[in-house]
Amino acid sequence: MSGMKLNDAINQACEDLAWVVAAVAEVRGSITLSRESYTFFEMSETLAIQLEHARGLLAVRDVALRAARAYPGHASSINPEKFVYNGVEVTFKQGRFLVLQSYVAITWTMYDALAKVAGVLCCVDERSKNATKPVKLPEDLLRGQRFVGARVHDHLKGAYGRPIGISYAVRNWLVHDGHSQNGIELFKFDSPTPAPFEMSDTAWSKIEDKCLNEYKADPSHTRLRSFPDVRGDLLEGMVCCHQEADEAIGFVLAWSSGAARLQAAILLPRDGTSASIPGPSVLA
């Protein structure tokens, strides 16, 4: 992947929201827009704080990924049949599940936090104003054709639907089902050899079916012309899928924060003398 980096997109969104905060402060004493309009613009400070917290998860995810990659080499020096997970001896199967679950769960915690902010900025009122049900990347931005416009749904589904769908299906399996789902084992082997993260054929079929029939993402919905072998190596397959999902949520975040900044730049100068209308913010 050579497109937008997620950290850059978050930085850009924070910059856009900080601009809005400053612009609102300049005109606070002369308000001609509706109270609802200013309430929206005034949310920028809180949203920027949420983005800062989400950005912190990027480093946490990196740590979790390094731990997952290193785990197959952590055989116990005392008991060769056991592996060491956070200082505790466990079976290889137990530790593998825990390191993968941690990596994937942290990733999706971050996506949820970023989608919540982007949803407030760009989704229709039905979703953006519903604080009890924050916007989600798979349910609303990817599948919810009525919740976001300007062809964004087409961009997301057509370019990123398959990697997002597969990652989300794996996330749900790891978080809700454990090692097996209705008797179907997630992994092909219970030992680190010959392939420590190879999925069972039946598990992969269930993931593909979930992606296609529930998330409505078929094999054409990707920018990757050589799709990763997720079945053969679930960990590295998730890394590739997350790179694509990073780009997708980064696109939505940067687009929505840029749109909010442009709205403020056009509307606020009438209420003050120092606010200016800059050109659109663009990621380098």
mmCIF file of all heavy atoms in Angstrom, residues 121-152:
data_model
loop_
_atom_site.group_PDB
_atom_site.id
_atom_site.type_symbol
_atom_site.label_atom_id
_atom_site.label_comp_id
_atom_site.label_asym_id
_atom_site.label_seq_id
_atom_site.Cartn_x
_atom_site.Cartn_y
_atom_site.Cartn_z
ATOM 1 N N LEU A 121 -19.023 13.969 11.703
ATOM 2 C CA LEU A 121 -18.716 15.022 10.747
ATOM 3 C C LEU A 121 -19.379 14.840 9.387
ATOM 4 O O LEU A 121 -19.657 15.826 8.707
ATOM 5 C CB LEU A 121 -17.199 15.107 10.539
ATOM 6 C CG LEU A 121 -16.370 15.511 11.761
ATOM 7 C CD1 LEU A 121 -14.883 15.390 11.448
ATOM 8 C CD2 LEU A 121 -16.715 16.923 12.209
ATOM 9 N N CYS A 122 -19.639 13.591 8.980
ATOM 10 C CA CYS A 122 -20.048 13.402 7.584
ATOM 11 C C CYS A 122 -21.328 12.613 7.362
ATOM 12 O O CYS A 122 -21.860 12.637 6.247
ATOM 13 C CB CYS A 122 -18.915 12.746 6.792
ATOM 14 S SG CYS A 122 -18.637 10.991 7.149
ATOM 15 N N CYS A 123 -21.821 11.901 8.360
ATOM 16 C CA CYS A 123 -23.009 11.086 8.124
ATOM 17 C C CYS A 123 -24.285 11.928 8.193
ATOM 18 O O CYS A 123 -24.296 13.042 8.713
ATOM 19 C CB CYS A 123 -23.082 9.942 9.143
ATOM 20 S SG CYS A 123 -21.967 8.579 8.767
ATOM 21 N N VAL A 124 -25.363 11.377 7.659
ATOM 22 C CA VAL A 124 -26.650 12.066 7.714
ATOM 23 C C VAL A 124 -27.096 12.193 9.165
ATOM 24 O O VAL A 124 -26.624 11.482 10.049
ATOM 25 C CB VAL A 124 -27.717 11.305 6.895
ATOM 26 C CG1 VAL A 124 -27.313 11.233 5.430
ATOM 27 C CG2 VAL A 124 -27.940 9.897 7.457
ATOM 28 N N ASP A 125 -28.034 13.123 9.409
ATOM 29 C CA ASP A 125 -28.448 13.419 10.778
ATOM 30 C C ASP A 125 -28.923 12.187 11.534
ATOM 31 O O ASP A 125 -28.671 12.055 12.737
ATOM 32 C CB ASP A 125 -29.566 14.465 10.773
ATOM 33 C CG ASP A 125 -29.049 15.863 10.445
ATOM 34 O OD1 ASP A 125 -27.832 15.995 10.214
ATOM 35 O OD2 ASP A 125 -29.857 16.799 10.399
ATOM 36 N N GLU A 126 -29.603 11.290 10.847
ATOM 37 C CA GLU A 126 -30.124 10.088 11.496
ATOM 38 C C GLU A 126 -29.041 9.329 12.248
ATOM 39 O O GLU A 126 -29.280 8.776 13.327
ATOM 40 C CB GLU A 126 -30.764 9.172 10.448
ATOM 41 C CG GLU A 126 -31.264 7.838 10.981
ATOM 42 C CD GLU A 126 -31.697 6.892 9.873
ATOM 43 O OE1 GLU A 126 -31.871 7.348 8.720
ATOM 44 O OE2 GLU A 126 -31.855 5.690 10.155
ATOM 45 N N ARG A 127 -27.821 9.307 11.702
ATOM 46 C CA ARG A 127 -26.725 8.585 12.343
ATOM 47 C C ARG A 127 -25.781 9.519 13.092
ATOM 48 O O ARG A 127 -25.332 9.223 14.188
ATOM 49 C CB ARG A 127 -25.933 7.795 11.286
ATOM 50 C CG ARG A 127 -26.719 6.687 10.659
ATOM 51 C CD ARG A 127 -27.165 5.616 11.661
ATOM 52 N NE ARG A 127 -26.029 4.864 12.182
ATOM 53 C CZ ARG A 127 -25.618 4.930 13.447
ATOM 54 N NH1 ARG A 127 -26.240 5.664 14.331
ATOM 55 N NH2 ARG A 127 -24.571 4.235 13.835
ATOM 56 N N SER A 128 -25.451 10.676 12.503
ATOM 57 C CA SER A 128 -24.444 11.537 13.118
ATOM 58 C C SER A 128 -24.896 12.128 14.444
ATOM 59 O O SER A 128 -24.072 12.422 15.310
ATOM 60 C CB SER A 128 -24.054 12.659 12.162
ATOM 61 O OG SER A 128 -25.137 13.538 11.940
ATOM 62 N N LYS A 129 -26.207 12.299 14.621
ATOM 63 C CA LYS A 129 -26.721 12.895 15.857
ATOM 64 C C LYS A 129 -27.169 11.862 16.883
ATOM 65 O O LYS A 129 -27.657 12.223 17.955
ATOM 66 C CB LYS A 129 -27.880 13.836 15.532
ATOM 67 C CG LYS A 129 -27.468 15.081 14.750
ATOM 68 C CD LYS A 129 -28.657 15.998 14.504
ATOM 69 C CE LYS A 129 -28.244 17.259 13.770
ATOM 70 N NZ LYS A 129 -29.389 18.169 13.528
ATOM 71 N N ASN A 130 -26.994 10.587 16.555
ATOM 72 C CA ASN A 130 -27.417 9.525 17.461
ATOM 73 C C ASN A 130 -26.237 9.119 18.345
ATOM 74 O O ASN A 130 -25.450 8.235 18.003
ATOM 75 C CB ASN A 130 -27.926 8.321 16.662
ATOM 76 C CG ASN A 130 -28.515 7.244 17.560
ATOM 77 O OD1 ASN A 130 -28.411 7.309 18.787
ATOM 78 N ND2 ASN A 130 -29.131 6.252 16.955
ATOM 79 N N ALA A 131 -26.101 9.798 19.485
ATOM 80 C CA ALA A 131 -24.955 9.563 20.366
ATOM 81 C C ALA A 131 -24.995 8.189 21.025
ATOM 82 O O ALA A 131 -23.965 7.691 21.491
ATOM 83 C CB ALA A 131 -24.906 10.644 21.444
ATOM 84 N N THR A 132 -26.162 7.566 21.076
ATOM 85 C CA THR A 132 -26.275 6.253 21.722
ATOM 86 C C THR A 132 -25.813 5.121 20.818
ATOM 87 O O THR A 132 -25.606 4.012 21.276
ATOM 88 C CB THR A 132 -27.728 5.983 22.153
ATOM 89 O OG1 THR A 132 -28.568 5.934 20.988
ATOM 90 C CG2 THR A 132 -28.221 7.082 23.087
ATOM 91 N N LYS A 133 -25.655 5.409 19.531
ATOM 92 C CA LYS A 133 -25.211 4.380 18.586
ATOM 93 C C LYS A 133 -24.169 4.983 17.648
ATOM 94 O O LYS A 133 -24.487 5.403 16.534
ATOM 95 C CB LYS A 133 -26.385 3.820 17.782
ATOM 96 C CG LYS A 133 -26.015 2.614 16.927
ATOM 97 C CD LYS A 133 -27.214 2.098 16.147
ATOM 98 C CE LYS A 133 -26.814 0.895 15.298
ATOM 99 N NZ LYS A 133 -27.930 0.422 14.449
ATOM 100 N N PRO A 134 -22.902 5.046 18.080
ATOM 101 C CA PRO A 134 -21.860 5.656 17.258
ATOM 102 C C PRO A 134 -21.714 4.965 15.901
ATOM 103 O O PRO A 134 -21.969 3.762 15.767
ATOM 104 C CB PRO A 134 -20.592 5.473 18.105
ATOM 105 C CG PRO A 134 -21.083 5.317 19.503
ATOM 106 C CD PRO A 134 -22.391 4.599 19.391
ATOM 107 N N VAL A 135 -21.320 5.730 14.925
ATOM 108 C CA VAL A 135 -21.109 5.210 13.570
ATOM 109 C C VAL A 135 -19.976 4.191 13.575
ATOM 110 O O VAL A 135 -18.946 4.384 14.236
ATOM 111 C CB VAL A 135 -20.790 6.371 12.605
ATOM 112 C CG1 VAL A 135 -20.296 5.861 11.266
ATOM 113 C CG2 VAL A 135 -22.022 7.247 12.417
ATOM 114 N N LYS A 136 -20.157 3.106 12.843
ATOM 115 C CA LYS A 136 -19.151 2.058 12.727
ATOM 116 C C LYS A 136 -18.681 1.952 11.269
ATOM 117 O O LYS A 136 -19.445 2.219 10.339
ATOM 118 C CB LYS A 136 -19.733 0.706 13.161
ATOM 119 C CG LYS A 136 -20.245 0.666 14.588
ATOM 120 C CD LYS A 136 -19.122 0.681 15.597
ATOM 121 C CE LYS A 136 -19.635 0.447 17.014
ATOM 122 N NZ LYS A 136 -18.549 0.464 18.007
ATOM 123 N N LEU A 137 -17.434 1.542 11.104
ATOM 124 C CA LEU A 137 -16.878 1.392 9.760
ATOM 125 C C LEU A 137 -17.599 0.322 8.946
ATOM 126 O O LEU A 137 -18.041 0.608 7.826
ATOM 127 C CB LEU A 137 -15.375 1.089 9.855
ATOM 128 C CG LEU A 137 -14.647 0.778 8.539
ATOM 129 C CD1 LEU A 137 -14.785 1.924 7.551
ATOM 130 C CD2 LEU A 137 -13.171 0.472 8.814
ATOM 131 N N PRO A 138 -17.777 -0.915 9.441
ATOM 132 C CA PRO A 138 -18.423 -1.932 8.605
ATOM 133 C C PRO A 138 -19.926 -1.696 8.422
ATOM 134 O O PRO A 138 -20.439 -1.748 7.303
ATOM 135 C CB PRO A 138 -18.163 -3.247 9.353
ATOM 136 C CG PRO A 138 -17.132 -2.932 10.373
ATOM 137 C CD PRO A 138 -17.298 -1.487 10.709
ATOM 138 N N GLU A 139 -20.631 -1.433 9.536
ATOM 139 C CA GLU A 139 -22.081 -1.371 9.476
ATOM 140 C C GLU A 139 -22.597 -0.132 8.746
ATOM 141 O O GLU A 139 -23.512 -0.224 7.923
ATOM 142 C CB GLU A 139 -22.691 -1.400 10.885
ATOM 143 C CG GLU A 139 -22.560 -2.733 11.604
ATOM 144 C CD GLU A 139 -21.313 -2.786 12.470
ATOM 145 O OE1 GLU A 139 -20.346 -2.063 12.154
ATOM 146 O OE2 GLU A 139 -21.300 -3.565 13.444
ATOM 147 N N ASP A 140 -22.027 1.022 9.034
ATOM 148 C CA ASP A 140 -22.569 2.276 8.527
ATOM 149 C C ASP A 140 -21.830 2.801 7.301
ATOM 150 O O ASP A 140 -22.443 3.129 6.288
ATOM 151 C CB ASP A 140 -22.539 3.336 9.631
ATOM 152 C CG ASP A 140 -23.322 2.910 10.855
ATOM 153 O OD1 ASP A 140 -24.512 2.603 10.707
ATOM 154 O OD2 ASP A 140 -22.745 2.875 11.956
ATOM 155 N N LEU A 141 -20.510 2.891 7.385
ATOM 156 C CA LEU A 141 -19.754 3.476 6.294
ATOM 157 C C LEU A 141 -19.594 2.516 5.122
ATOM 158 O O LEU A 141 -19.592 2.929 3.963
ATOM 159 C CB LEU A 141 -18.384 3.932 6.796
ATOM 160 C CG LEU A 141 -18.423 5.008 7.889
ATOM 161 C CD1 LEU A 141 -17.012 5.329 8.375
ATOM 162 C CD2 LEU A 141 -19.116 6.266 7.398
ATOM 163 N N LEU A 142 -19.458 1.226 5.409
ATOM 164 C CA LEU A 142 -19.265 0.245 4.342
ATOM 165 C C LEU A 142 -20.582 -0.281 3.797
ATOM 166 O O LEU A 142 -20.783 -0.354 2.586
ATOM 167 C CB LEU A 142 -18.414 -0.920 4.847
ATOM 168 C CG LEU A 142 -18.008 -1.960 3.797
ATOM 169 C CD1 LEU A 142 -17.127 -1.328 2.728
ATOM 170 C CD2 LEU A 142 -17.260 -3.116 4.465
ATOM 171 N N ARG A 143 -21.511 -0.644 4.704
ATOM 172 C CA ARG A 143 -22.775 -1.246 4.253
ATOM 173 C C ARG A 143 -23.938 -0.267 4.209
ATOM 174 O O ARG A 143 -24.900 -0.475 3.475
ATOM 175 C CB ARG A 143 -23.155 -2.405 5.195
ATOM 176 C CG ARG A 143 -22.316 -3.645 5.002
ATOM 177 C CD ARG A 143 -22.878 -4.772 5.850
ATOM 178 N NE ARG A 143 -22.730 -4.497 7.276
ATOM 179 C CZ ARG A 143 -23.294 -5.233 8.237
ATOM 180 N NH1 ARG A 143 -24.071 -6.242 7.914
ATOM 181 N NH2 ARG A 143 -23.100 -4.940 9.497
ATOM 182 N N GLY A 144 -23.885 0.812 4.994
ATOM 183 C CA GLY A 144 -25.021 1.717 5.102
ATOM 184 C C GLY A 144 -25.091 2.720 3.967
ATOM 185 O O GLY A 144 -24.573 3.829 4.059
ATOM 186 N N GLN A 145 -25.715 2.345 2.879
ATOM 187 C CA GLN A 145 -25.754 3.195 1.693
ATOM 188 C C GLN A 145 -26.519 4.492 1.926
ATOM 189 O O GLN A 145 -26.352 5.448 1.171
ATOM 190 C CB GLN A 145 -26.382 2.433 0.520
ATOM 191 C CG GLN A 145 -25.595 1.194 0.110
ATOM 192 C CD GLN A 145 -26.196 0.505 -1.103
ATOM 193 O OE1 GLN A 145 -26.628 1.151 -2.049
ATOM 194 N NE2 GLN A 145 -26.235 -0.826 -1.075
ATOM 195 N N ARG A 146 -27.341 4.556 2.955
ATOM 196 C CA ARG A 146 -28.151 5.763 3.192
ATOM 197 C C ARG A 146 -27.507 6.730 4.184
ATOM 198 O O ARG A 146 -28.067 7.781 4.463
ATOM 199 C CB ARG A 146 -29.537 5.360 3.734
ATOM 200 C CG ARG A 146 -30.362 4.523 2.774
ATOM 201 C CD ARG A 146 -31.707 4.149 3.379
ATOM 202 N NE ARG A 146 -31.562 3.224 4.501
ATOM 203 C CZ ARG A 146 -31.727 3.557 5.779
ATOM 204 N NH1 ARG A 146 -32.047 4.792 6.111
ATOM 205 N NH2 ARG A 146 -31.567 2.657 6.742
ATOM 206 N N PHE A 147 -26.333 6.389 4.707
ATOM 207 C CA PHE A 147 -25.791 7.181 5.817
ATOM 208 C C PHE A 147 -24.701 8.165 5.423
ATOM 209 O O PHE A 147 -24.394 9.079 6.165
ATOM 210 C CB PHE A 147 -25.266 6.247 6.915
ATOM 211 C CG PHE A 147 -26.337 5.370 7.497
ATOM 212 C CD1 PHE A 147 -26.081 4.051 7.818
ATOM 213 C CD2 PHE A 147 -27.612 5.869 7.706
ATOM 214 C CE1 PHE A 147 -27.073 3.240 8.358
ATOM 215 C CE2 PHE A 147 -28.619 5.062 8.243
ATOM 216 C CZ PHE A 147 -28.347 3.748 8.559
ATOM 217 N N VAL A 148 -24.081 7.969 4.289
ATOM 218 C CA VAL A 148 -23.028 8.886 3.853
ATOM 219 C C VAL A 148 -23.116 9.024 2.339
ATOM 220 O O VAL A 148 -23.383 8.053 1.634
ATOM 221 C CB VAL A 148 -21.637 8.372 4.293
ATOM 222 C CG1 VAL A 148 -21.301 7.046 3.643
ATOM 223 C CG2 VAL A 148 -20.567 9.404 4.001
ATOM 224 N N GLY A 149 -22.937 10.250 1.845
ATOM 225 C CA GLY A 149 -23.137 10.501 0.429
ATOM 226 C C GLY A 149 -21.864 10.843 -0.309
ATOM 227 O O GLY A 149 -20.771 10.416 0.074
ATOM 228 N N ALA A 150 -22.016 11.639 -1.370
ATOM 229 C CA ALA A 150 -20.893 12.124 -2.184
ATOM 230 C C ALA A 150 -20.030 10.983 -2.712
ATOM 231 O O ALA A 150 -18.807 11.096 -2.801
ATOM 232 C CB ALA A 150 -20.045 13.114 -1.384
ATOM 233 N N ARG A 151 -20.667 9.847 -3.035
ATOM 234 C CA ARG A 151 -19.977 8.685 -3.596
ATOM 235 C C ARG A 151 -19.005 8.007 -2.636
ATOM 236 O O ARG A 151 -18.239 7.124 -3.033
ATOM 237 C CB ARG A 151 -19.219 9.064 -4.875
ATOM 238 C CG ARG A 151 -20.100 9.662 -5.960
ATOM 239 C CD ARG A 151 -21.042 8.627 -6.548
ATOM 240 N NE ARG A 151 -21.886 9.214 -7.597
ATOM 241 C CZ ARG A 151 -22.765 8.524 -8.317
ATOM 242 N NH1 ARG A 151 -22.913 7.227 -8.081
ATOM 243 N NH2 ARG A 151 -23.491 9.110 -9.234
ATOM 244 N N VAL A 152 -19.021 8.424 -1.381
ATOM 245 C CA VAL A 152 -18.079 7.852 -0.425
ATOM 246 C C VAL A 152 -18.324 6.358 -0.240
ATOM 247 O O VAL A 152 -17.381 5.562 -0.156
ATOM 248 C CB VAL A 152 -18.163 8.590 0.926
ATOM 249 C CG1 VAL A 152 -17.339 7.868 1.987
ATOM 250 C CG2 VAL A 152 -17.658 10.022 0.764
#
